[in-house]
Amino acid sequence: MPQSRKTEHDTESSDDGAEGQRWAVLVAGSKEYENYRHQAEICHAYQILRKGGLKDENIIVFMFDDIALNPKNPKRGVIINRPGGEDVYQGVPKDYTGEAVNVENFLNVILGNKSGVTGGSGKVVKSVTASNAKDSSYGIYCGDTYPPSPPEYNGLCLGDEFSVSWLEDSELHDMRKETLKQQYQVVKRRTRSSHVCRFGSEELLKDYLVSYIGTNPENKNFSLASLTASQISNLSWSIHIQNAPVRSPERQEAQKNLLDEMNHRKQIDQNIIEILRVSLNQTNVLDLLTSTRTTGQSLVDDWDCFKTLVKSFKNQCGAKMEYGMKYAGALQIFAIWESM
């Protein structure tokens, strides 16, 4: 049976103002520990919505709930959605768990909310997907990505690339100042392993995210405190941030550009490791990146091959490759491997 705090709420809208008109239905459609990342993302989304001002009675959660207390979980009773991340499981309501996570209950909730909130009338809809009809979506914070999941998770993926992209963006920014279109563009840039798609009404793209997911008051004066000093000092956008007036549009734009650049660099790190893993059929790719040739050996055995790889890497990975070229050593590995 559903373990639900909602009774008539599933078919009635609240009368407590704007917050009462925002509803969220969070669904993790998988079970078993190997699919840890799906329930981790649902729990993370719940935390963002609560900090954004949505009330528990307006957030409906579907999750099998077999992860937090699973014997395989190295942190019993805790779920994280990124390496070193905080517990996102704490406080998550148990509306529909176990076998109650099914199509029938999901449709009843969706149809009930539509009837209660819109009175059965037509409603403009906007949806975004992690991939197109032919793609798969891919995990992030896994054992073979960068950064990897902690060793005690034995290579388990803590999140999905697409979902983590919008969750982390929402967690950082003041949602009163970011539109649906702006977040879509950020998420699409960061999601490199699949083709992010959007469907439905284009008129909603100008809406600010606060209308849908609220905004954390702590993000009112968004800062880059979460980034290390060395990370900021190595980026030209930090100069623009320091020179722009506090709370000015110029400063906000510079902060957003800096975050995009950080995401871009993070994606390059992840792509290089994935290329090594797949191309060389190696699992210890982090060790490969730090390995060196024996003293007295030339840098590579086939310079033509090496130069071709560098050129291809620059052409295929875009113009902003100054940071990416720190992985010239990884290209050495390919050149050496090809000559063997």
Side-chain angles (χ1 to χ4, degrees), residues 231-252:
Q231 286 174 322
I232 294 176
S233 64
N234 289 330
L235 293 167
S236 62
W237 284 112
S238 64
I239 299 173
H240 296 283
I241 293 171
Q242 293 167 6
N243 292 338
V246 176
R247 299 194 183 98
S248 67
E250 293 81 8
R251 190 183 185 97
Q252 292 171 9

Side-chain angles (χ1 to χ4, degrees), residues 208-271:
Y208 287 93
L209 286 157
V210 66
S211 300
Y212 301 94
I213 63 176
T215 190
N216 186 349
E218 294 179 4
N219 297 338
K220 183 177 180 180
N221 299 316
F222 170 65
S223 70
L224 300 168
S226 59
L227 302 179
T228 66
S230 61
Q231 286 174 322
I232 294 176
S233 64
N234 289 330
L235 293 167
S236 62
W237 284 112
S238 64
I239 299 173
H240 296 283
I241 293 171
Q242 293 167 6
N243 292 338
V246 176
R247 299 194 183 98
S248 67
E250 293 81 8
R251 190 183 185 97
Q252 292 171 9
E253 180 66 19
Q255 288 173 334
K256 190 171 184 62
N257 287 330
L258 175 55
L259 185 63
D260 286 349
E261 178 67 16
M262 292 300 298
N263 287 336
H264 177 69
R265 292 185 174 197
K266 187 176 182 180
Q267 190 61 53
I268 291 175
D269 295 337
Q270 185 176 326
N271 287 347

Side-chain angles (χ1 to χ4, degrees), residues 103-145:
V103 174
E104 182 179 1
N105 284 334
F106 172 70
L107 290 177
N108 285 338
V109 168
I110 294 296
L111 294 175
N113 279 329
K114 179 181 178 182
S115 174
V117 175
T118 70
S121 62
K123 184 77 172 176
V124 290
V125 174
K126 188 72 185 172
S127 62
V128 179
T129 62
S131 62
N132 60 28
K134 298 180 180 179
D135 283 344
S136 294
S137 58
Y138 290 86
I140 195 173
Y141 304 143
C142 308
D144 56 358
T145 65

Side-chain angles (χ1 to χ4, degrees), residues 10 61 71 88 118 126 140 165 180 185 187 200 202 213 223 252 293 310 312 336-337:
D10 285 349
V61 178
V88 294
T118 70
K126 188 72 185 172
I140 195 173
S165 295
L180 288 172
Q185 291 171 336
V187 172
E202 296 293 308
I213 63 176
S223 70
Q252 292 171 9
R293 301 201 79 184
V310 171
S312 297
I336 293 168
W337 195 273

